[in-house]
Amino acid sequence: MELPGLAFVVWMFICFRVSVDGYPNGKVREACASMVPCHGSSPKLSPEHVITVNRTEFRPGDSIEVQLSGPDFEGFFLQARDAEDLDSPAVGSFVLVDRRHSQLLTCGHTMNSAVSHTSKAKKKVVKVYWIAPGGAPKHVQFLATVVKKYKIFWVKIPGPVISQPNALFSTTPLYTASEAVSTAHSVSYLTKPFNASGCGNTKFCLRNPSNCDPESASCFFLSFHQERSSVLIEMSGPSEGYLAFALSFDQWMGDDDTYLCINEDHHVSVSTAYLKGRSPPVLDLKNALEDVSWRLVDGVLQCSFRRNVSLPTYKERFNMNASYYIFLADGEASEDGPIYKHRRQPLITNGMYNVTGIPQDIGGSRSPRLIKAHGALMFVAWISTASIGVVVARFFKPVWSHLFLFGREIWFQVHRMLMLTTVVLTSISFVLPFIYRGGWSKQAGFHPYLGCTVMALTIFQPFMAGFRPSPHAPRRQLFNWFHWSIGTTARILAVVTMFLGMDLPALDLPDPWDTYTMIGFVAWHVGTDVLLEIHSYCLIRKVELIEDDRVQILQSLTSAEAEGNLFKQIVLTIYICGNIIFLIAFLAAINQV
């Protein structure tokens, strides 16, 4: 590996580590040059803390009292630099006053040239002494980075400038307070929500639900408006934590150009990031965004910003004049820590789009098509074909035995057709998640394990049925018992698996409506079974009484069977209609996600 590449990897490792752990012990030598903590966020504007000195003039060897004060803060980093070249290394050395809250660090080749905190303990004032070195610059300025909380910090807060006697300033302007916060672009406050005017005409829009009003509290909205060489981006949606969108070359999370608006203690920071695999986003220390604005009202987070179409100096930023899949996600964020993984599947466009091309107004889906097809086929198989096939075999065998279709009893032909359809639909549905995921999903809990079990039982049932003994064979009863028990186990596990799958992020049907509907279907099926069981029992008892009384003229077994057949046909018709209603409800819900 070449040295630049190795240095980059080492830097990414350091930033990743400290972005998780921060600098609770104040060992911040990695930030000596930039004075920027790797906290995965942008510095704040308008510093709340000040640096004061007891003298404004010094000679080499003099001791200058330096004090950093302000509202409670956890961490700090203090240096002195050449006031006419603030990118130069730290100059001079410090002497501590209170070793409990401050410690000396070596930046560059100068020992004790910086001061930092020793712990996260709250402090209001830190006092140290700066010793002027021989050959000191004519003008020295003190700079401080202050961390109030993990993601609330200020970088290079400018302090006073001290000078050697009779030293004159060059024409190079000194570092001012406005420049101190130039590491973050100017931020303003939005005064009103976004609107959809121009969507499809002058700007590219992505909305969920489709055609929703961004002024609504339930609308997720993302728009792109190209203005010459830059693009104005607006994003809003109901979120107390963060909103994010990503540009991707595929419909998979990873290797994506990401933009986040994060609510940090009622202040919104806008950051760029890069997604690597399924790991948390690595927020950039520097971002290429301008004209940042935000608004937080009634649980709706809104932010807008501008970036250039092409950013050749930012290798991880994609050019916006190409086509990409667009992701739109939301989730929770802590006040002083990293963001959390989104709880539901991000909104993903169905195709690749060029946001700087022809303006369009599109929607998206929070469930990929393959996962939608997986859920739909499983619902059709186990709510419709399997359930009806079981009812036909269990209750219509006695009354349809004298009816034939293609040389076999009609009940058997209907049962076999429905169950083979279940096998085919389940098999097709089974492979779709593996195609989508490209392998096994470790985030789906018990759902894939139970799904594999159901698939194995589904395949074993017809295989076992192919070797069933003749009706009068001694082993027929054993076969009947195994056939019933395996089929019943498969149906129960299929329902449990569907319960678990409905709330997975990849499908995420409306909750709790989906659970109540599934409970309703189970109750509907069990109720129908119980009703037909009671009817069958009453019919058998009635026939037994008729035969005991030897009344065969007015009423016989045949007439009783005919009466039972009519009732069962009515129940079966109602049962099928109910199944269709449940199935339509589930398919409609799947189509909406």
Side-chain angles (χ1 to χ4, degrees):
M1 181 182 292
E2 297 180 357
L3 287 178
L6 178 60
F8 175 77
V9 171
V10 171
W11 171 247
M12 289 297 293
F13 170 76
I14 291 170
C15 283
F16 177 76
R17 176 173 62 83
V18 298
S19 67
V20 175
D21 299 328
Y23 296 112
N25 60 3
K27 304 295 185 180
V28 293
R29 294 186 183 91
E30 295 86 356
C32 276
S34 66
M35 299 188 71
V36 178
C38 292
H39 286 192
S41 185
S42 300
K44 305 304 178 186
L45 304 177
S46 304
E48 300 176 354
H49 305 80
V50 295
I51 305 172
T52 57
V53 295
N54 66 338
R55 294 165 54 186
T56 59
E57 190 174 279
F58 73 93
R59 288 183 173 86
D62 283 353
S63 175
I64 307 295
E65 180 185 294
V66 183
Q67 183 171 284
L68 173 65
S69 61
D72 286 350
F73 56 96
E74 295 180 353
F76 70 94
F77 189 40
L78 179 65
Q79 288 184 6
R81 294 187 178 184
D82 184 346
E84 298 184 42
D85 183 11
L86 290 174
D87 291 328
S88 61
V91 297
S93 59
F94 289 92
V95 175
L96 300 180
V97 174
D98 185 354
R99 295 182 179 273
R100 294 176 304 166
H101 297 127
S102 57
Q103 62 183 324
L104 298 173
L105 298 178
T106 297
C107 284
H109 301 290
T110 306
M111 292 186 61
N112 304 333
S113 56
V115 186
S116 71
H117 55 281
T118 58
S119 70
K120 295 176 63 176
K122 301 289 186 181
K123 36 200 160 280
K124 292 180 179 294
V125 179
V126 173
K127 182 189 294 186
V128 294
Y129 288 95
W130 178 75
I131 309 301
K138 294 180 180 180
H139 308 281
V140 173
Q141 185 168 22
F142 296 96
L143 304 175
T145 290
V146 177
V147 178
K148 183 177 182 179
K149 290 184 179 181
Y150 183 85
K151 284 195 173 183
I152 302 178
F153 59 89
W154 297 264
V155 173
K156 290 184 178 180
I157 299 174
V161 176
I162 59 175
S163 306
Q164 295 194 43
N166 303 319
L168 298 176
F169 285 114
S170 67
T171 55
T172 304
L174 292 180
Y175 195 59
T176 64
S178 61
E179 292 171 321
V181 294
S182 64
T183 52
H185 293 291
S186 60
V187 177
S188 61
Y189 186 78
L190 294 169
T191 58
K192 60 182 180 179
F194 302 135
N195 61 73
S197 62
C199 286
N201 295 319
T202 60
K203 60 184 180 182
F204 184 100
C205 296
L206 172 63
R207 292 190 269 176
N208 179 249
S210 297
N211 299 318
C212 65
D213 186 350
E215 297 186 17
S216 168
S218 60
C219 181
F220 288 91
F221 177 77
L222 177 64
S223 72
F224 303 84
H225 182 209
Q226 183 176 6
E227 299 174 349
R228 296 183 180 179
S229 61
S230 66
V231 179
L232 177 65
I233 301 169
E234 298 175 335
M235 179 166 53
S236 68
S239 177
E240 296 289 350
Y242 70 90
L243 289 175
F245 81 89
L247 304 176
S248 177
F249 291 103
D250 52 37
Q251 291 183 301
W252 293 88
M253 177 180 171
D255 301 323
D256 305 325
D257 181 10
T258 309
Y259 302 81
L260 303 100
C261 299
I262 307 173
N263 179 6
E264 300 173 353
D265 195 19
H266 305 292
H267 179 280
V268 176
S269 68
V270 180
S271 303
T272 56
Y274 185 74
L275 287 177
K276 187 67 175 178
R278 301 182 70 85
S279 302
V282 179
L283 302 184
D284 295 332
L285 297 179
K286 297 180 179 180
N287 64 54
L289 307 181
E290 301 175 352
D291 300 339
V292 176
S293 302
W294 61 272
R295 185 171 183 254
L296 271 173
V297 177
D298 298 330
V300 177
L301 191 158
Q302 305 168 48
C303 63
S304 70
F305 50 90
R306 185 186 305 277
R307 59 148 284 186
N308 289 337
V309 174
S310 177
L311 293 169
T313 58
Y314 295 83
K315 296 180 180 179
E316 294 177 343
R317 303 280 74 81
F318 296 172
N319 288 339
M320 301 197 76
N321 55 1
S323 296
Y324 307 98
Y325 290 99
I326 305 173
F327 291 61
L328 182 58
D330 64 288
E332 297 180 356
S334 63
E335 292 184 0
D336 56 357
I339 64 175
Y340 300 115
K341 179 182 178 182
H342 46 78
R343 289 186 175 180
R344 58 176 175 172
Q345 185 82 357
L347 183 73
I348 307 174
T349 58
N350 293 324
M352 302 179 75
Y353 295 91
N354 184 347
V355 298
T356 61
I358 300 175
Q360 298 185 58
D361 188 6
I362 64 172
S365 173
R366 292 191 181 273
S367 179
R369 290 179 178 178
L370 288 177
I371 300 300
K372 283 185 177 182
H374 167 74
L377 291 176
M378 283 298 187
F379 281 125
V380 172
W382 295 98
I383 285 182
S384 181
T385 58
S387 300
I388 297 172
V390 168
V391 170
V392 168
R394 176 70 183 88
F395 300 105
F396 286 82
K397 181 178 179 179
V399 296
W400 284 358
S401 296
H402 59 287
L403 300 175
F404 293 86
L405 179 66
F406 301 118
R408 298 298 300 269
E409 296 91 340
I410 190 171
W411 74 267
F412 177 76
Q413 297 286 42
V414 172
H415 172 73
R416 181 166 62 179
M417 178 190 67
L418 291 173
M419 302 318 288
L420 287 177
T421 302
T422 300
V423 173
V424 172
L425 293 177
T426 303
S427 300
I428 296 173
S429 176
F430 178 77
V431 302
L432 296 182
F434 291 96
I435 296 175
Y436 171 71
R437 292 291 182 188
W440 188 265
S441 175
K442 298 180 180 179
Q443 287 80 31
F446 289 105
H447 178 78
Y449 297 98
L450 292 178
C452 290
T453 305
V454 171
M455 185 72 255
L457 294 176
T458 303
I459 294 295
F460 184 68
Q461 271 289 75
F463 178 79
M464 183 176 62
F467 295 93
R468 66 185 180 278
S470 61
H472 303 291
R475 292 177 297 174
R476 182 60 181 234
Q477 288 298 325
L478 184 62
F479 164 80
N480 289 341
W481 187 88
F482 272 108
H483 190 63
W484 174 86
S485 61
I486 292 176
T488 302
T489 301
R491 291 170 60 212
I492 293 173
L493 290 180
V495 171
V496 173
T497 306
M498 285 192 288
F499 266 112
L500 296 176
M502 289 187 302
D503 291 326
L504 289 177
L507 189 59
D508 193 23
L509 294 177
D511 189 66
W513 176 92
D514 56 344
T515 303
Y516 294 151
T517 304
M518 196 66 187
I519 293 174
F521 163 72
V522 173
W524 174 255
H525 180 77
V526 172
T528 302
D529 270 6
V530 171
L531 178 63
L532 290 174
E533 286 286 0
I534 294 174
H535 175 264
S536 297
Y537 174 78
C538 293
L539 183 62
I540 292 172
R541 292 292 299 157
K542 184 175 183 179
V543 171
E544 289 176 350
L545 291 174
I546 290 173
E547 290 183 344
D548 288 344
D549 294 339
R550 299 182 182 280
V551 181
Q552 297 185 7
I553 298 176
L554 298 178
Q555 193 163 14
S556 65
L557 178 61
T558 303
S559 62
E561 288 179 345
E563 179 184 339
N565 187 21
L566 177 61
F567 177 81
K568 289 180 179 179
Q569 287 180 346
I570 294 174
V571 173
L572 179 62
T573 302
I574 297 174
Y575 177 70
I576 292 175
C577 292
N579 279 26
I580 292 174
I581 292 173
F582 281 110
L583 185 60
I584 291 175
F586 277 115
L587 295 180
I590 290 175
N591 185 56
Q592 291 178 359
V593 295

